[in-house]
Amino acid sequence: MKEIKTIEFKDDILYLIDQRKLPIAYEIFQCKDYRDVDFAIKDMVVRGAPAIGATAAYGVVLAAKEFLNEEKEVFLSKMDEALNILNNSRPTAVNLMWAIGKMRRLIEENKDLSIEEIYQKIREEADRIYEDDIKTNKAMAKHGNEVIKEGATILTHCNTGALATVGYGTALGVVREAHYSGKNIFVYADETRPRLQGGRLTAWELVQEGIPAKLIADNVAATLIRDGKIDVILVGADRIASNGDTANKIGTFMLSVVAKAYNVPFYIVAPTSTIDFDIESGQGIEIEERDSTEVTHIEGIRVAPEGIDVYNPAFDVTPWENITGIITEKGIIRAPYKENIMKLKED
Ligand code: MRU
């Protein structure tokens, strides 16, 4: 398996694979302070819920480093400002708020220590988030592999691979596991308009590893499902409400409706850090709207007429009724979701 280093923190610089450039160019984007990290998340140099969470954690490390020589009160107030800026860099993926929340509590609980000691704790926490993500993904992949049959054809949406996480991936992690355990799987990857995370990123990861696959335009998926060509659909999540409603890349809901109509199993693969225990249903999830040029332009070239208005939500919510199971690092959760998700919180 080829190692893809989506995120790397070395000598006080955060190195990110620039996902805006793939697959045409492989470039590394350097974040030297937390403002660069804010930009990298906003502009989608790095994207995918768990990757955003880990990136933001290192943003907090960079902020703490920058303010190391301030008076304690100034340090705390500047850190508060940095935490708020990072927390607002994108609205839907809850792993971001989860990572920032961890950092905020850590600073609060240790505010009487020296700034150097607080910095050390922040650094250790960021490293823990980073390392845990890979372990979590591998555990999810093992659980997920149980629902993949020998010779299965799997449909994926967006990019849920190493590029969307610290490594290995969520839904694409299950694909990896099934492939490397010799199940002879085949993948259809939705290209995922408007930003083409499937066409640019998932296809790149699949090609890198020689996993048998075909890239399809999003509108092909329903026909494949109706014709019995798909055995299972695996997607990731940006936020899961406590009743199981799941926000993921725009187009996921549509897939879930077709899957239900033709009895094709539809699984969400996500770490428990993607669960927002504080919201009751998908109605509480803020859906990011992105720039209209993502729809009107392709690679900087206008493909829609001047003057047309655009609606460009980045995510949609799949109701729990359409979900066969949620594959987490702690096992596969099935309906009744409300009860079973709450049990995870108690763990
Ligand atoms: O807008 P993006 O590219 O950040 O959206 C990513 C997705 O929707 C993924 O499916 C999701 O983050 C889960 S993958 C680990």
Side-chain angles (χ1 to χ4, degrees):
M1 202 189 92
K2 296 212 172 109
E3 197 188 3
I4 298 171
K5 274 206 180 293
T6 306
I7 302 166
E8 196 176 13
F9 192 71
K10 228 173 30 192
D11 303 328
D12 297 326
I13 296 177
L14 182 65
Y15 297 89
L16 302 170
I17 296 179
D18 193 336
Q19 301 190 33
R20 301 168 305 175
K21 306 279 171 69
L22 281 174
I24 307 304
Y26 182 94
E27 286 176 22
I28 300 297
F29 183 92
Q30 295 188 18
C31 300
K32 296 191 171 146
D33 60 33
Y34 80 87
R35 295 162 204 88
D36 293 341
V37 174
D38 175 49
F39 171 83
I41 296 174
K42 275 201 175 91
D43 212 51
M44 295 176 69
V45 171
V46 63
R47 28 66 51 202
I52 294 172
T55 300
Y58 283 113
V60 181
V61 175
L62 288 173
K65 185 84 190 175
E66 181 176 336
F67 306 134
L68 218 45
N69 296 322
E70 301 285 1
E71 294 295 322
K72 177 66 84 57
E73 239 170 73
V74 179
F75 172 82
L76 291 175
S77 116
K78 290 201 166 175
M79 284 307 289
D80 188 51
E81 192 186 331
L83 286 164
N84 290 340
I85 287 173
L86 290 167
N87 203 51
N88 290 325
S89 51
R90 284 190 77 188
T92 306
V94 79
N95 307 60
L96 170 65
M97 296 79 188
W98 170 84
I100 295 295
K102 265 178 178 287
M103 290 301 190
R104 207 184 278 285
R105 282 191 297 280
L106 188 82
I107 296 170
E108 176 58 31
E109 284 160 15
N110 293 289
K111 63 173 188 284
D112 296 331
L113 297 182
S114 72
I115 294 179
E116 180 60 42
E117 285 167 323
I118 300 175
Y119 168 75
Q120 282 310 329
K121 288 205 175 284
I122 290 173
R123 175 66 208 264
E124 283 161 20
E125 185 68 35
D127 289 344
R128 209 165 16 245
I129 289 173
Y130 184 93
E131 279 149 25
D132 282 356
D133 186 64
I134 300 178
K135 286 188 210 144
T136 298
N137 294 340
K138 294 207 166 152
M140 283 192 296
K142 290 250 175 319
H143 292 303
N145 199 15
E146 287 165 22
V147 303
I148 308 296
K149 297 197 178 83
E150 168 69 30
T153 298
I154 303 169
L155 179 69
T156 68
H157 193 65
C158 195
N159 172 264
T160 59
L163 291 167
T165 59
V166 173
Y168 211 68
T170 59
L172 210 62
V174 176
V175 167
R176 280 199 161 87
E177 192 72 22
H179 172 73
Y180 290 112
S181 61
K183 283 195 175 159
N184 296 313
I185 52 142
F186 188 87
V187 178
Y188 279 106
D190 278 355
E191 67 177 348
T192 321
R193 273 286 286 157
R195 285 187 72 100
L196 301 174
Q197 288 94 328
R200 296 188 301 108
L201 308 175
T202 302
W204 183 75
E205 289 197 40
L206 291 166
V207 169
Q208 292 281 307
E209 302 204 18
I211 300 176
K214 279 188 182 161
L215 177 64
I216 54 168
D218 298 326
N219 8 22
V220 177
T223 304
L224 286 174
I225 295 169
R226 184 203 58 196
D227 293 349
K229 302 263 171 63
I230 303 294
D231 296 305
V232 59
I233 300 171
L234 300 177
V235 299
D238 286 83
R239 194 185 295 223
I240 301 171
S242 56
N243 71 342
D245 290 352
T246 296
N248 190 51
K249 181 53 54 195
I250 192 76
T252 304
F253 167 54
M254 195 160 71
L255 277 183
S256 79
V257 172
V258 184
K260 195 173 183 183
Y262 290 94
N263 289 317
V264 173
F266 182 92
Y267 286 96
I268 303 290
V269 189
T272 49
S273 55
T274 305
I275 301 174
D276 188 342
F277 295 97
D278 295 335
I279 51 168
E280 277 181 25
S281 76
Q283 282 185 341
I285 302 177
E286 183 182 345
I287 300 294
E288 175 181 18
E289 272 191 50
R290 294 196 64 89
D291 202 272
S292 61
T293 54
E294 288 185 352
V295 180
T296 55
H297 291 64
I298 293 179
E299 294 298 311
I301 297 167
R302 179 174 274 283
V303 291
E306 296 269 8
I308 188 71
D309 232 355
V310 168
Y311 174 49
N312 185 23
F315 303 97
D316 57 27
V317 175
T318 297
W320 65 264
E321 295 95 324
N322 291 4
I323 299 169
T324 311
I326 302 175
I327 300 166
T328 75
E329 75 278 18
K330 296 186 179 171
I332 304 178
I333 315 169
R334 295 181 194 270
Y337 287 109
K338 221 178 198 154
E339 258 169 72
N340 293 335
I341 286 177
M342 273 307 147
K343 278 188 205 147
L344 288 181
K345 192 181 182 186
E346 287 148 19
D347 273 4

